[in-house]
Amino acid sequence: MTSASHPAVINRFFSGGAWIEGAALDQLDEMSRLPGVLEIAAFPDLHPGKYGATGVALLSSRLHPLLIGNDIGCGMSLFALDLPLRKLKIDKAAERLRRLETQEIGDVSELLVDAGLPADLAAAALGTIGGGNHFCELQAVEALADGGASLGLDNQGLYLLVHSGSRAFGAAVFSEMVAAHPGLVAGLDAGSEAGAAWLSGHDRCVAWASLNRRLIAVRAAAALRADLRLVADIPHNLVRRCDRGFVHYKGAAAVAPGELAPIAGSRASLSHVVVATDGVSRSLGGISHGAGRKYDRATMHGRVGRNRSEREQLLRNAWGGIAICDDRALVVEEAASAYKDAGQVVGDLESEGLIVGLASLRPLITFKKAVDEAEVEQRRRKPDHRREGGRGHERY
């Protein structure tokens, strides 16, 4: 990175017990020296990223598209279902959710226009989750604080947590900017033509990503034959204007005091619902959005899932929950052990006075990626010796 000589103030909102890699701290220092950077808030899910540490809110007088990256507008949305926990049969629900992305959502043109977007903007991709750490998860309340009940959370209810972003649309906005501006590491003047163009594309990505999460939830609810209600829609990969400049949220949930927000665990650990306090004014309006990675994707391939049996175990959790993921590499890369302890993250944020915990939620069904139904049927019709194949075609 090309950096300024005087580093910005870095405020660390994590304890000595947080798992923080040295590489992430080095990136944090580099980010503090970028042109225009005035202040950084770092959270307990901090971990290394491609263009800078992830798990930060960064205030700058200049725009830094590299810090936001390609999944502009990525976030988490929490929805309450009108389906009670007592009526849930996990195996049956998992079979229905396997067909999540084939559920009809009709003509999305009107929804795009209602969101202030062009009627044909990446319409075919709406309602799709994508890869990486994105998911749609059916959850039940494990523990509920008094404050959670008063804010409408139900310990006998079911919830959908959706994590996704702007898909190929955001990637296109980002790649076009990188190709047009080789010196992007220095950032952009918000008043310049390039700055204005990126902000315009950014704003569209944020709106599109929010709509995408809603339509994923609509599809999941349709598969489960339930209605839904939005509880929280919190982005964590975006820029917001303020009176001092631009706050860049890189893997950090952008919240206001009194706003509810999910903090995701993993498919085999608890997630949390919290409410932001007035203290978030000290953290640039940011908190952690999840546990944060402990080990990178490449490292995970040497740690878990070395054979079919281990991979099958990774698709179940201690609550009898099921993960739907037909990508063998993704099963390994997104194993629960790849992530930090979300409970530790929440504890640190509470100790810093940024949040109050309202509820913990256990994962029941985590949808990440299912193979095409036609492909499944074709595979079922093959003779057994062809379907099983060799080790190169092993499926979990």
Side-chain angles (χ1 to χ4, degrees):
M1 288 186 175
T2 301
S3 58
S5 57
H6 300 292
V9 174
I10 301 175
N11 296 310
R12 295 170 171 82
F13 294 94
F14 51 83
S15 69
W19 177 289
I20 307 293
E21 293 180 64
L25 296 176
D26 291 343
Q27 287 186 329
L28 201 60
D29 181 68
E30 292 175 347
M31 292 162 72
S32 74
R33 300 172 188 276
L34 289 173
V37 175
L38 304 170
E39 183 181 342
I40 299 176
F43 303 109
D45 59 331
L46 187 76
H47 57 280
K50 184 173 182 180
Y51 295 106
T54 299
V56 304
L58 177 147
L59 173 65
S60 175
S61 61
R62 295 176 64 79
L63 295 170
H64 287 279
L66 286 180
L67 299 183
I68 303 304
N70 62 349
D71 200 7
I72 307 165
C74 185
M76 291 193 184
S77 299
L78 182 68
F79 300 85
L81 296 175
D82 67 350
L83 177 67
L85 174 61
R86 69 180 183 275
K87 291 188 176 182
L88 179 71
K89 295 181 180 179
I90 289 183
D91 289 338
K92 187 174 182 179
E95 188 60 33
R96 288 178 176 174
L97 281 175
R98 171 168 283 281
R99 298 186 290 272
L100 185 155
E101 292 189 338
T102 66
Q103 295 293 317
E104 290 294 330
I105 52 177
D107 185 357
V108 298
S109 300
E110 186 175 339
L111 294 172
L112 282 163
V113 172
D114 288 346
L117 298 168
D120 60 347
L121 183 59
L126 279 169
T128 63
I129 292 170
N133 61 353
H134 294 162
F135 60 84
C136 175
E137 187 166 89
L138 181 66
Q139 302 178 332
V141 173
E142 179 73 5
L144 183 64
D146 291 341
S150 66
L151 289 172
L153 298 177
D154 178 7
N155 62 4
Q156 295 303 311
L158 289 170
Y159 294 84
L160 285 173
L161 181 60
V162 180
H163 177 202
S164 192
S166 51
R167 307 288 276 111
F169 174 42
V173 170
F174 179 69
S175 62
E176 288 171 9
M177 179 58 61
V178 170
H181 301 277
L184 200 55
V185 70
L188 298 171
D189 181 347
S192 68
E193 183 177 346
W198 182 78
L199 274 177
S200 176
H202 162 279
D203 291 348
R204 286 187 171 190
C205 287
V206 172
W208 193 99
S210 177
L211 177 59
N212 186 44
R213 290 189 291 275
R214 176 154 61 95
L215 292 181
I216 291 169
V218 166
R219 279 182 155 168
L224 294 170
R225 301 172 188 173
D227 290 327
L228 52 78
R229 169 180 61 86
L230 178 65
V231 176
D233 179 30
I234 308 295
H236 53 243
N237 224 40
L238 75 161
V239 165
R240 282 187 175 169
R241 303 161 181 81
C242 70
D243 56 0
R244 298 172 59 197
F246 297 88
V247 181
H248 298 62
Y249 298 93
K250 177 58 177 174
V255 293
E259 192 168 22
L260 270 63
I263 296 181
S266 70
R267 64 178 183 237
S269 63
L270 298 175
S271 294
H272 302 265
V273 181
V274 305
V275 61
T277 69
D278 291 340
V280 294
S281 61
R282 299 187 294 110
S283 63
L284 300 173
I287 59 172
S288 298
H289 80 281
R293 288 198 76 94
K294 190 174 183 179
Y295 302 113
D296 63 35
R297 297 183 184 281
T299 300
M300 288 306 297
H301 284 281
R303 291 180 176 274
V304 298
R306 288 177 287 270
N307 54 53
R308 185 189 306 186
S309 177
E310 286 188 12
R311 290 192 293 276
E312 288 175 347
Q313 291 176 12
L314 292 175
L315 294 174
R316 293 279 181 171
N317 64 36
W319 298 279
I322 299 170
I324 301 168
C325 184
D326 293 338
D327 183 324
R328 187 166 59 187
L330 202 56
V331 170
V332 171
E333 293 165 4
E334 290 296 304
S337 56
Y339 288 90
K340 303 179 189 183
D341 179 1
Q344 169 78 43
V345 168
V346 170
D348 278 3
L349 295 175
E350 283 192 304
S351 295
E352 291 288 344
L354 303 184
I355 63 163
V356 172
L358 300 178
S360 58
L361 304 174
R362 63 183 181 272
L364 299 179
I365 305 172
T366 307
F367 180 98
K368 293 188 71 69
K369 185 175 182 180
V371 297
D372 182 80
E373 289 297 310
E375 181 184 340
V376 172
E377 184 62 26
Q378 184 180 29
R379 190 182 303 119
R380 285 174 179 162
R381 291 177 179 177
K382 288 181 180 180
D384 288 346
H385 69 278
R386 291 182 61 200
R387 183 168 66 243
E388 290 298 324
R391 288 185 59 84
H393 296 87
E394 181 183 48
R395 298 192 67 85
Y396 45 83

